[in-house]
Amino acid sequence: MLKLGDDESHMRSSQNVDDDADVVGFEEDVKMLLRKRIIGGLETRRIVLVKGMSGIGKTTLAREIYNHPTVVERFKRRLWVSNVTHFTIKELLIKLIQQVEDPHPSSSLENMDNQSLRDMLRQHLLGTRYLIVLDDVPKPMYLHSFLRALPREYDGSRLLLTSHTRNMNIDNIDVHHMKPLDSKKSWQLFLKTINHGNKLTGEHKFPMKLEHMGKQMLRKCGGLPLAIKEVGKQLAEKKVSGESEWEQLLESVDFGSTLKLLEPFYHKLDPELESCFLYMSFFKENTTLRAKKLAHIWIAGGVVDSTHRFKSYLNDLVNDSFIEVMDKSTEYRMNVVLHMLSIQKAEEKLGFEILRSNGNNRPSESPRHHRVIICSRDKFNYSTDQDKLLVSLFFHGGGYLDTSPSYWKSFELLKILDLEDFGLKILPETIGTLMELRYLGLRNNYIKELPDSFGCLENLEVLDIAQNFLVEVPDIIWEMRSLHHLYLSDVICRKPSKIDALQLLVTLTYVSVDNWTYELSDLKMLTRLRKLGIEELDGSSDVSKLFVSLALLENLEHLILRGYRFRSMPCLDEIGVLHNLQTLKLDGLLARLPNNVPPNIKSLTLVNSCLDEDPMPLLEKLPELKYLKLRNAYTGQQMVILPEGFPSLEVLCIEELWNLRNVQYELGAMCFLEKLEIHDCPCLDTLSDVVERMFWVKEIKMVTTKSIATKARNSDSIYDLTNREYQFMS
């Protein structure tokens, strides 16, 4: 007789009204998981991981799978253990054994050693098809030890794990990434929660006239079911009558209870990652952040000490579901609810404060070391008596910036100043008094001129003035010997640049091809330069001189060449002399690809090339190429990829190839491809035929027309392939 353990009994009895509300938005996840990974697929034992941040619905999804009629019918044994993070391997084995054996004295089980418990569990499972769900698996898990307790027969059994992390160190694990709910599903869950909690009708019911306002409020939930339910329950508990009262409630929703529920998730952070998480509070909510900017600010703030350490910590935050990857590991975003939590914790631990022009401030009770100023176009006084203690200062919003000499002289310890996207027009001369400044972010403003006082910023390591159209740069900038990263674009130099004087430069983007090739005599001194962007290339550019000079940069790994407006770029055949180059981006019209692409290229991006000839015959011969992106790079209708083409390629992104109708793919090509992305190729309707043959590709993402997306979704041949993640969006 099958005995239900405490966990399973709790699960069966927990199918109440609230759980019914939980399942909104997970229908496609349930369908896909059942078809691809639980019911369908190979008869081997498969380990499936449902991954996502706390509160995103991992347990709810696992419960829907566990209780699904087809699962009940297929699996003779179904075992469930909740809160695995709190159990030792011995406690976990005992919990499972208690679910498959007649009443057994727990004391006798506790007296057994782990190997005996493993043998007992294996005997109970032997010869039966089973589904085991381990809910909330921690990071330092003992899975290898646990797996030895499971039979090895190829009977189609499944082990389903839910966790915030994918660092399981297990081979052949299928990962299902949980995504936040979109606005439509968020609204459905919100209404369902309110209607279940509030049984009143008529004037007491939520007025649909306030739907827009309600959806605006829900944006602060970030598509997180936990947050949506908490907000819905909070409103349902109120005895509300009339639109005006509902409107007042929507304006005053408190997210404190939601943040409290996320506290355990925060405490799962490794100690060395906590500061990285807290520093996310400095940025605007729901904003997309460049990896380079994050790295510069974490390094300038002393959170990490090197780019290598930054990459390691960032990957950990991604793997542990604290940060979401947006684009090719170069752009990231934090869920808005987690962002609120980072602000709360930064206020407690960092001496962080937020000042607003509307007076709704969040001053810190501890000494202020970090400040965010959120202001409108109106002038207001954001100076305090603790300016001398500030280490970092961020401006959000836009408008007025205090240019009085006395103001900037008070920031004696300031290391980080970020004014990106602020709408700034004039920089004060007194900016040069910030002697300790390490990072200055001025990207995407309306600045026309940098003051000569920049020369006083002797410790400045990062200067970002990109996307300020035709900004005049003083000569003194070429004497700022501490600069490591300099981001320019469309700048006006009073005299020819003296770039070779900046011997600590690691990054320089972008500099005019004319400025680069004008009397630069000591390029060999730029021994640290890794990334370089050259712009304004056209048919008259002396690329022979350019490539001869670039060949002197022995550590140059990343090169970007950008054409001048709508003019064609020159012939780039001589680029082949750059043997150490690993990343290349060509942005501009090309008559043809260079015949001699550097042989060690690992990443290649072609943007706005508008090539007439298929680029694949040349590119597929690059032996080290791992990443290839083509955006508006080819105007033809067909691409051909031959056998053994792209022997090392892992990621292929195709975007805005408006005429492309067919990709002719031959078996034996792209054997290591892991990810395929296709965006805005409206004539390409043969995807099903291509990816059916590329059965090893793990992730497919396609943004196309509604008809093509529907055809792809309905393709049985695609969805029957396992270990693969799909996104088809119209």
Side-chain angles (χ1 to χ4, degrees), residues 609-627:
S609 305
C610 298
L611 295 164
D612 295 329
E613 295 184 8
D614 181 3
M616 295 308 195
L618 190 151
L619 300 180
E620 67 182 3
K621 297 176 183 177
L622 296 174
E624 303 294 329
L625 190 64
K626 297 181 181 296
Y627 176 89

Side-chain angles (χ1 to χ4, degrees), residues 14 28 47 58 122 134 196 200-201 257 276 349 360 364 384 557 576 600 604 614 618 656:
S14 66
E28 288 299 320
I47 304 174
K58 302 184 296 295
R122 187 184 305 109
L134 302 183
H196 281 308
L200 300 177
T201 59
S257 58
C276 300
K349 301 193 172 192
N360 187 18
S364 171
T384 73
E557 298 175 349
N600 296 318
L604 176 62
D614 181 3
L618 190 151
E656 300 176 21

